[in-house]
Amino acid sequence: MKSRVVVSIYTDPDFYPPTINAILNLSEAFEEVVVISRTNATKDFPYPENVRLIKIGANCTVREMEKQSFGKKMFYFMKFLFSFLKYSKQSATRLILIYDHFALFAYHLCRIFIKHKKVWYHNHDMVNKELVSRFSIGGLAVKYEANAMKNIDFFSLPSKERLVYFSDLSKDIPVFIIPNYPSLKMYRHFKKKFGNERKIKIIYQGFIGKGHSLEEIVQLLPESIEGKKLYLTLKGSVTAEYKSCLDKLARDLNVSEQLRWLPISSYSELPEITASCDLGVGINMNNDAVSLAQGTASNKIYEYAASGLPVVLYKSEQFEKYLASYDWAFFSDGSLLSLKNTLGQIVNNLENLSISARNDFENRLNFERVFQPVMKNVIASL
């Protein structure tokens, strides 16, 4: 067992399940895992005892963090950088695993003080460069990302389609694709239970906004599918404007009691919530760089499957490429009629579809299956 790995991510890892999954697996291969991040979650994930959390700043939401003054942002970034440097340069540290461009920028600024350490950069999320101010910490991090990547030893990302955005990457740096599948360590304790209730509970989890056919699903709530009443749970972050829009639509249709809102909560609580529903919505019709490369990067799709839920997806080339072979994956163009027809195909076969989704998670679509071979490869080089 190796001594220590330092994992750095600027946003609280509780908002990035693949980072949590990596930490759980790294904790079995290293004596100590030091995780350096900001403080955004109200509750820490229950990590193993050898995981040490170094959280920077008082607790605040990501949106509150974004609204802070430049001086305050710089203050906390420098605290993050010095904590990163402190633990990374120590002799016990054998590997540094970086999860976003902020943490990569911190490494770039202090790398001359960190010698003889292997550095692994996992790009967990693409950044829309047009929305980032050049005169901000995030803007500087984006600007120097390619430069910083010249000094890494390993590179990974959740979707091979995103490789086109890293054309300057040295051919000497090993590249690994690690899809955002859920972890067996998290989901094996939760299995779907079936009752005889005459209702179908639909869930959408993630950022709640336009492009996910949520308005259309609310419009379906007054109807029944195969004699079963529909309920919709929306779990995640939402703007006040969009929430007001959906609430008004539900009131106008007299289905407010069939629409449930759940805020962001600890990732450890998510599997039980998801497994309490019957099918998941994974539709994404947005066309930004991240959305157009989500075939293996959208963790919610695979979290639904891990919880034993069939999934409704947007009928597009990227999703069909990776998911058309699974009988629990259904495709819709997002319209009201298409959604109604798709739900009709699902509701009378829920139990069989659930068993199939769970089996595919346990045998093929779990994080350990894709991460552990990469982890062993990296560790072998230390």
Side-chain angles (χ1 to χ4, degrees), residues 120-368:
W120 174 1
Y121 176 39
H122 179 87
N123 181 275
H124 71 72
D125 215 350
M126 298 290 299
V127 178
N128 188 337
K129 297 180 181 181
E130 295 179 359
L131 300 179
V132 179
S133 169
R134 291 182 298 168
F135 307 105
S136 66
I137 300 169
L140 290 171
V142 168
K143 178 180 178 180
Y144 288 101
E145 182 181 45
N147 241 2
M149 289 178 67
K150 294 177 182 177
N151 298 292
I152 64 174
D153 298 288
F154 307 96
F155 179 56
S156 59
L157 65 175
S159 166
K160 66 181 180 182
E161 284 81 6
R162 296 184 184 181
L163 274 174
V164 297
Y165 298 102
F166 300 94
S167 56
D168 294 333
L169 184 69
S170 169
K171 291 181 170 54
D172 296 328
I173 296 174
V175 176
F176 306 100
I177 305 300
I178 305 176
N180 285 343
Y181 298 155
S183 171
L184 289 167
K185 295 175 174 58
M186 271 286 294
Y187 280 81
R188 64 186 168 197
H189 305 297
F190 299 91
K191 289 199 175 182
K192 177 71 183 162
K193 296 178 181 178
F194 292 92
N196 295 316
E197 295 179 293
R198 302 293 292 174
K199 60 184 180 181
I200 296 296
K201 292 174 286 185
I202 304 168
I203 185 169
Y204 172 86
Q205 56 198 44
F207 179 75
I208 302 164
K210 288 189 174 295
H212 305 292
S213 290
L214 301 179
E215 298 96 328
E216 286 78 6
I217 294 173
V218 171
Q219 291 176 62
L220 274 177
L221 295 182
E223 304 191 32
S224 61
I225 305 294
E226 299 294 324
K228 298 183 180 182
K229 194 173 182 179
L230 302 178
Y231 292 79
L232 175 62
T233 293
L234 299 176
K235 177 165 175 46
S237 175
V238 62
T239 64
E241 294 77 12
Y242 191 70
K243 183 178 186 299
S244 177
C245 172
L246 288 189
D247 279 338
K248 182 180 184 305
L249 181 58
R251 285 195 305 272
D252 290 345
L253 295 169
N254 199 30
V255 293
S256 294
E257 79 285 355
Q258 293 164 246
L259 176 62
R260 179 174 67 150
W261 295 91
L262 294 178
I264 292 175
S265 59
S266 174
Y267 183 61
S268 62
E269 299 171 5
L270 185 62
E272 186 172 6
I273 292 170
T274 309
S276 71
C277 297
D278 298 306
L279 65 93
V281 176
I283 291 174
N284 189 344
M285 295 185 284
N286 296 312
N287 57 9
D288 56 278
V290 175
S291 298
L292 292 175
Q294 279 200 319
T296 58
S298 179
N299 47 289
K300 73 165 68 70
I301 293 172
Y302 302 99
E303 288 165 355
Y304 294 147
S307 303
L309 273 61
V311 185
V312 180
L313 300 162
Y314 185 52
K315 188 175 177 60
S316 68
E317 181 180 351
Q318 61 158 326
F319 290 122
E320 289 186 310
K321 176 181 177 181
Y322 290 102
L323 292 151
S325 62
Y326 298 105
D327 61 357
W328 45 265
F330 293 79
F331 298 90
S332 166
D333 65 13
S335 67
L336 196 65
L337 180 59
S338 175
L339 286 166
K340 184 175 181 178
N341 291 336
T342 303
L343 293 179
Q345 298 173 48
I346 296 173
V347 295
N348 286 331
N349 197 29
L350 272 175
E351 190 162 355
N352 289 332
L353 293 172
S354 175
I355 292 170
S356 180
R358 179 72 183 193
N359 286 341
D360 283 329
F361 159 66
E362 292 180 347
N363 296 312
R364 300 173 63 183
L365 303 174
N366 62 77
F367 187 78
E368 283 72 18

Side-chain angles (χ1 to χ4, degrees), residues 102-131:
F102 283 96
L104 183 66
F105 186 48
Y107 165 68
H108 180 65
L109 292 175
C110 66
R111 70 186 186 283
I112 61 172
F113 303 107
I114 304 172
K115 298 179 180 178
H116 312 298
K117 312 291 185 185
K118 293 288 186 178
V119 178
W120 174 1
Y121 176 39
H122 179 87
N123 181 275
H124 71 72
D125 215 350
M126 298 290 299
V127 178
N128 188 337
K129 297 180 181 181
E130 295 179 359
L131 300 179

